[in-house]
Amino acid sequence: MRILIKDLQQHIGSEVTIMSWVHIARDQGKMAFFDFRDMSGKVQGVVFGKPEVLEIAKTLRPEFVVEVKGIVNKRPDKMIKEGVLNGDIELEITGIKVLNTAETPAIEVSENNSIDINEEVRLRDRYVDLRTDRMQANLRMRGKVAQLVRNALYEQGFTEIETPIFTKSTPEGARDFVVPSRTNPGKFFALPQSPQQYKQLLMSSGMERYFQFARCMRDEDGRGDRQPEFTQMDFEMSFATEEDIMRINEELLIKVVQTLYPEKKIQKIPFPRMSYKDAMEKYGSDRPDIREDKNDPNLLAFLWIVDFPFFEKTATSDDPQAQGEWTFTHNPFSLCKPEHIENLMNKENIGDILAAQYDITLNGFEIGGGSIRAHDPKILRTILQILGHTDEKIDANFGHMLRAFASGTPPHGGIAWGFDRLMMILQNEPNIREVIAFPKTRDGKDIMMDAPSEIGNAQLRELSIKVDIDKKEL
Ligand code: ASP
């Protein structure tokens, strides 16, 4: 039976079998030393005095996959490595079976310094990169945080619900990725920039408390903390005030940190709040880094930003001074602050209307944002009119929302966390690619799978698509 390396301590004196990778191999003539690695940890092994085992041992190279039989021995006192898993034991190897060999990898797993290796190599051989301690920890902690959030939300009556990936364009302010429909020639699905409309429709559906670890797709230029597809912890709740949503999410973030990152310190609880205006005046940023000590990697300064303007003027491209149409700053489905309802309905003082919007920031990054929504169809229609939509366009693009809101939809609001960003900060990583198993390059490619890639003429014909690009330009 296979014993996990972390459990070897319970088998001192017995012969056991482990299944592992060769982490380090050192051939010393009559003896061979190894570090073996499995998902649970590492252990040292040694071969001596067994010529038939030594012969196989000498063929082992890093990243070979092996079944190793051995006796778990306590190390002599002066050989004990303090504070290291299995630092006080070693495996006296009695048999080795090679389950698979490995070519010399471009990334040396035992060096654990892959962050310094060329990004292209890391992304091409991602499966090797992910074997390093750092990347293993990042992915395992990501899973643990998600599990804790799920459990905590279920305890409060929330249900995780999946929403469609093939959908219609939803205005989150970025470009859509689109998918052609074979059965509807000339028509396209849009991939969701967020599940915003679906989660609100779930409130119309009587679900009351929804969340989802949702994949969102936005066709934006890549940056350190952006990926074309990323994960949100998406959340929506009926009969909730701004305070309710902020409180539940704040408690959840505190629970994540205190349970899974006990070494970290939250600068201030309850999280401080700052108006958008103050943040801009004082820090020139709507996500100021308010850490008292910026050299401390374990200091977490959460900050709520509130009182955002609902609308702003778009700049026209040729003249930055000239102002264009009204656009929304965050989310067209938000409600304004109750005291601004009259202005909104009269379309007066539009630039002064504040949204019932809150962003949560951490150490200078926006890690989430949300709002109370307009659940009254008259209010939503007015907002869309201010945004320059004609009634005809409103009915064509948002008719489903207006109909749902006219069918008995409770007041509701929500939030979404940028889950990758949160994990990046918690794991002290410099960019979100380090906490995503298979991220894209900066220019949006998957170089391991070689995607995106061209498709054949037959497939194009089936989709009724002609590609109009001079290949020489590519
Ligand atoms: N859908 C919004 C976003 O993706 C978040 C929210 O308001 O719940 O930014």
Side-chain angles (χ1 to χ4, degrees):
M1 196 189 62
R2 175 197 187 185
I3 305 286
L4 285 177
I5 287 176
K6 75 168 167 50
D7 297 330
L8 286 174
Q9 296 285 342
Q10 297 156 26
H11 298 271
I12 292 174
S14 344
E15 187 171 61
V16 297
T17 301
I18 60 167
M19 306 282 183
S20 71
W21 280 260
V22 175
H23 190 59
I24 295 173
R26 257 175 292 126
D27 180 353
Q28 297 203 343
K30 291 206 170 98
M31 287 165 101
F33 290 93
F34 298 96
D35 278 359
F36 297 111
R37 180 186 82 235
D38 72 9
M39 64 178 229
S40 72
K42 299 189 197 80
V43 68
Q44 232 195 47
V46 56
V47 184
F48 58 89
K50 293 191 183 58
E52 68 299 343
V53 184
L54 193 62
E55 200 178 312
I56 308 174
K58 282 174 179 291
T59 67
L60 301 189
R61 300 279 170 273
E63 301 316 303
F64 275 33
V65 185
V66 286
E67 180 181 325
V68 178
K69 224 190 234 175
I71 301 160
V72 185
N73 286 334
K74 259 237 147 334
R75 288 192 182 197
D77 277 354
K78 56 180 194 303
M79 303 280 283
I80 290 178
K81 285 188 202 157
E82 295 288 348
V84 178
L85 173 76
N86 293 333
D88 57 343
I89 59 168
E90 73 183 6
L91 215 51
E92 179 188 333
I93 300 170
T94 53
I96 300 172
K97 190 167 154 196
V98 175
L99 302 177
N100 211 345
T101 60
E103 289 168 10
T104 306
I107 298 163
E108 227 174 297
V109 177
S110 62
E111 288 290 321
N112 202 32
N113 66 351
S114 66
I115 189 111
D116 300 328
I117 292 175
N118 177 303
E119 183 85 21
E120 291 226 344
V121 173
R122 292 186 64 202
L123 292 178
R124 188 199 62 201
D125 295 351
R126 190 63 164 178
Y127 37 84
V128 179
D129 189 22
L130 293 181
R131 292 179 201 163
T132 57
D133 287 350
R134 201 175 111 257
M135 298 304 280
Q136 288 270 314
N138 286 352
L139 293 190
R140 291 181 195 282
M141 285 310 290
R142 182 181 172 121
K144 278 194 182 169
V145 172
Q147 187 188 24
L148 184 149
V149 168
R150 280 199 169 93
N151 290 345
L153 287 176
Y154 266 93
E155 272 167 26
Q156 297 179 68
F158 285 80
T159 299
E160 184 162 28
I161 304 171
E162 292 164 280
T163 52
I165 292 292
F166 290 171
T167 178
K168 199 178 159 115
S169 182
T170 177
E172 299 283 350
R175 227 175 274 116
D176 286 323
F177 282 104
V178 295
V179 179
S181 164
R182 178 182 59 82
T183 46
N184 301 278
K187 295 201 171 167
F188 295 80
F189 292 104
L191 303 182
Q193 291 188 29
S194 85
Q196 182 69 35
Q197 297 190 49
Y198 285 111
K199 69 172 170 175
Q200 290 194 243
L201 293 168
L202 285 169
M203 297 303 105
S204 308
S205 313
M207 292 309 301
E208 291 201 32
R209 293 179 180 203
Y210 144 99
F211 78 100
Q212 177 182 195
F213 279 85
R215 204 65 68 75
C216 303
M217 276 66 79
R218 297 184 188 178
D219 189 0
E220 297 173 304
D221 294 328
R223 281 204 319 235
D225 60 347
R226 285 214 178 137
Q227 279 276 307
E229 55 177 308
F230 59 95
T231 303
Q232 284 187 345
M233 195 291 283
D234 196 41
F235 173 110
E236 198 77 8
M237 191 176 173
S238 292
F239 307 109
T241 60
E242 271 187 70
E243 287 302 325
D244 294 329
I245 293 168
M246 290 165 82
R247 179 182 45 79
I248 292 176
N249 280 273
E250 184 165 322
E251 283 171 3
L252 202 49
L253 287 163
I254 294 169
K255 190 165 184 174
V256 165
V257 174
Q258 291 182 344
T259 313
L260 297 174
Y261 295 90
E263 71 283 9
K264 294 198 185 277
K265 183 176 172 282
I266 298 176
Q267 183 163 290
K268 194 149 186 272
I269 297 176
F271 300 168
R273 296 180 185 188
M274 197 182 285
S275 72
Y276 169 80
K277 190 163 168 279
D278 286 352
M280 293 310 287
E281 277 172 16
K282 245 174 110 175
Y283 298 90
S285 166
D286 60 359
R287 45 186 168 82
D289 186 351
I290 56 158
R291 273 176 299 172
E292 279 151 12
D293 176 1
K294 295 204 172 64
N295 296 316
D296 179 353
N298 284 332
L299 184 63
L300 298 173
F302 290 97
L303 171 70
W304 289 103
I305 306 288
V306 294
D307 298 342
F308 286 90
F310 200 132
F311 304 96
E312 64 186 5
K313 287 276 188 181
T314 52
T316 50
S317 51
D318 38 2
D319 176 3
Q321 296 304 314
Q323 296 203 318
E325 304 297 317
W326 287 113
T327 183
F328 53 90
T329 65
H330 278 81
N331 194 327
F333 300 109
S334 297
L335 189 61
C336 59
K337 294 267 178 195
E339 57 272 28
H340 294 158
I341 272 282
E342 221 179 291
N343 273 342
L344 182 91
M345 295 312 280
N346 295 332
K347 300 181 189 160
E348 282 169 3
N349 304 323
I350 290 173
D352 298 334
I353 296 174
L354 296 181
Q357 164 85 32
Y358 31 81
D359 276 3
I360 176 80
T361 72
L362 172 57
N363 295 2
F365 290 90
E366 183 197 325
I367 57 155
S371 62
I372 299 298
R373 326 295 184 186
H375 69 283
D376 174 338
K378 287 189 295 299
I379 297 180
L380 179 58
R381 185 178 286 277
T382 306
I383 292 167
L384 294 167
Q385 285 166 348
I386 293 174
L387 294 171
H389 300 281
T390 60
D391 276 323
E392 206 185 351
K393 211 173 141 200
I394 292 171
D395 290 324
N397 292 334
F398 302 102
H400 54 286
M401 298 293 279
L402 296 168
R403 276 196 307 281
F405 290 175
S407 75
T409 294
H412 60 279
I415 195 168
W417 300 358
F419 192 57
D420 311 285
R421 270 189 211 165
L422 173 65
M423 288 311 304
M424 169 186 89
I425 299 166
L426 291 176
Q427 292 295 111
N428 294 324
E429 290 292 357
N431 69 66
I432 62 171
R433 295 188 298 284
E434 306 301 328
V435 295
I436 297 175
F438 298 106
K440 307 278 186 290
T441 57
R442 272 168 214 275
D443 50 352
K445 290 189 196 135
D446 179 336
I447 49 179
M448 180 181 71
M449 301 292 252
D450 185 26
S453 52
E454 287 161 4
I455 59 174
N457 282 332
Q459 207 177 349
L460 285 172
R461 258 197 308 278
E462 229 173 25
L463 295 168
S464 318
I465 287 183
K466 273 200 186 119
V467 175
D468 186 16
I469 285 183
D470 184 346
K471 291 230 167 94
K472 274 177 277 165
E473 278 176 25
L474 291 175

